[in-house]
Amino acid sequence: MARVSDQRRSECDRIVVGVGGGIAAYKACYVIRDFTEAGAQVRVVPTESALRFVGAATFEALSGNPVSTTVFDDVDEVQHVRIGQEADLIVIAPATADLMARIAQGRADDLLTATVLVATCPVLIVPAMHTEMWQNPATRRNVRILREHGITVMEPAHGRLTGADSGAGRLPDPEQITQLARSLRAGFAPRTDWSDRKVLITAGGTQEDIDPVRYIGNRSSGRQGFALAEAAAQRGAQVTVVAGNTAELPTPIGAEVISVRSTREMYDAVHARANDNDTILMAAAVSDFRPESSAENKLKKGSDDDALTTVRLVENPDILASVVDARHDGKLNAETVIVGFAAETGDQEHTPLEMGRAKLRRKGCDVLMVNDVAGGAVFGATENAGWLVDKHGDERVVADGSKLDVAFQILDAVDRCMQDR
Ligand code: CTP
């Protein structure tokens, strides 16, 4: 498929993986392997202290390239300039507070900082440190400076840190790092211009119980909703996710996640928060029907009762339509932007896009992301494509890309819709 070859081509790029001296340095190995397996040429540039955590031999074996930390190695090749000039992307994971301070100051006192100073390609810095260090005003200032310089600084994850403490400062999952790196490389430069926005997202599939062991569900993995959460948080927004079933995905960085199971639980959780948010993105695959009643005990096959062969269904509330109604009735701020999703297969008479246009009108939302799901495409996949249509008549093709790439495009569609008001 076109997307795979595109990705292969872009992965022939030269990627510099910088590694700072923190306990999370071992996770850089997974980042390096992910890039090399996709065909990239990876050059690992650790700091001296990174090599106290992971040996140069590991980085050399994983990348297939020599490793040095100082500008005084291979001086004849002027590598402190060449590596940075030739890089298509630089990913520094983990970045310590000290390393960020040095880059923010424009210092070039080792090979990694010299490489960053020379580079004109996108740079992604992935911090990992103790919460106190992350929250220290000096670090906050350095993060601001780095972002002003056009460097993308990923938000750290919350969770267990070295030792017994936990909080903000954990290195995100390697897959979350490489996804964001690929989005940057694909030209989706996350700005931090949503810092005054509050975003509510629904994600995953709802499940409707038949009895304590069986339910009616759907094939949604929650990936697109979680990618939206990551994209919005990376742009600086305060993000809340109301999540149904979401496979086993890592928690989106920088978002609060509220877990629900059924459509009615999702309805209640959304309405309890809708008015606190200015943007509502409804990516969940919501079950339109539920069993009229859910049995208290497990239903037995072969019993006289026909409860297992005939499940009477009743209709669930349409959460998206109800949020649109709430805005219409003045229960939500009139400026709230509401985005829906449509998974369409099309039929003999209508294409998925035509069905999407009709759904946009029917649901009354501001923007609709239309997916072509013929043959089960999209569900559980890491990539997505389709069309973005809005109530002002703006229609755009969303080219094949990762769900994070698609998420950044959906946020851009929200911006356009707000500008067109
Ligand atoms: N949606 C919702 N509540 C429902 C059904 C759908 O909030 N009970 C939302 C979904 O989260 C999505 C949008 O409505 O953002 C469209 O979902 P979809 O299943 O495509 O639409 P339906 O209204 O169920 O239309 P149909 O199944 O007839 O295509």
Side-chain angles (χ1 to χ4, degrees), residues 408-421:
F408 282 119
Q409 293 174 75
I410 292 169
L411 302 189
D412 288 344
V414 170
D415 283 337
R416 279 195 302 276
C417 187
M418 289 176 84
Q419 278 154 19
D420 287 348
R421 268 185 179 145

Side-chain angles (χ1 to χ4, degrees), residues 202 263 282-288 316-321 339-344 359 362-363:
T202 65
T263 300
M282 308 206 63
V286 181
S287 177
D288 292 316
N316 266 327
D318 185 321
I319 307 172
L320 174 58
V339 179
F341 285 72
E344 304 292 351
K359 191 167 281 183
R362 198 167 69 243
K363 298 257 184 183

Side-chain angles (χ1 to χ4, degrees), residues 176-198:
Q176 292 171 312
I177 298 171
T178 53
Q179 284 295 336
L180 182 58
R182 289 194 172 99
S183 287
L184 271 185
R185 176 68 185 123
F188 300 105
R191 306 170 294 276
T192 46
D193 54 351
W194 274 35
S195 50
D196 57 352
R197 301 272 277 273
K198 291 176 90 179

Side-chain angles (χ1 to χ4, degrees), residues 32-158:
I32 297 161
R33 196 174 60 186
D34 187 321
F35 285 138
T36 53
E37 279 182 355
Q41 289 183 45
V42 176
R43 183 75 200 240
V44 184
V45 184
T47 61
E48 268 297 320
S49 39
L51 294 184
R52 299 177 74 152
F53 291 94
V54 178
T58 303
F59 292 138
E60 289 183 347
L62 284 171
S63 67
N65 277 311
V67 161
S68 52
T69 59
T70 153
V71 295
F72 296 109
D73 286 339
D74 299 320
V75 177
D76 55 323
E77 292 179 24
V78 205
Q79 61 167 353
H80 71 290
V81 176
R82 193 173 48 79
I83 296 173
Q85 280 174 337
E86 290 178 356
D88 295 304
L89 176 70
I90 298 180
V91 180
I92 303 178
T96 59
D98 175 69
L99 179 55
M100 289 200 296
R102 289 192 290 127
I103 297 172
Q105 282 180 13
R107 293 178 67 167
D109 42 11
D110 62 6
L111 186 58
L112 179 53
T113 48
T115 298
V116 174
L117 206 53
V118 168
T120 53
C121 63
V123 178
L124 172 63
I125 289 185
V126 192
M129 64 195 69
H130 278 273
T131 310
E132 294 84 346
M133 287 180 160
W134 174 245
Q135 290 172 344
N136 186 287
T139 307
R140 305 311 313 147
R141 189 185 59 228
N142 289 330
V143 169
R144 252 191 333 272
I145 292 171
L146 291 167
R147 285 178 172 156
E148 277 164 22
H149 293 178
I151 289 176
T152 300
V153 181
M154 195 168 183
E155 288 296 314
H158 281 249

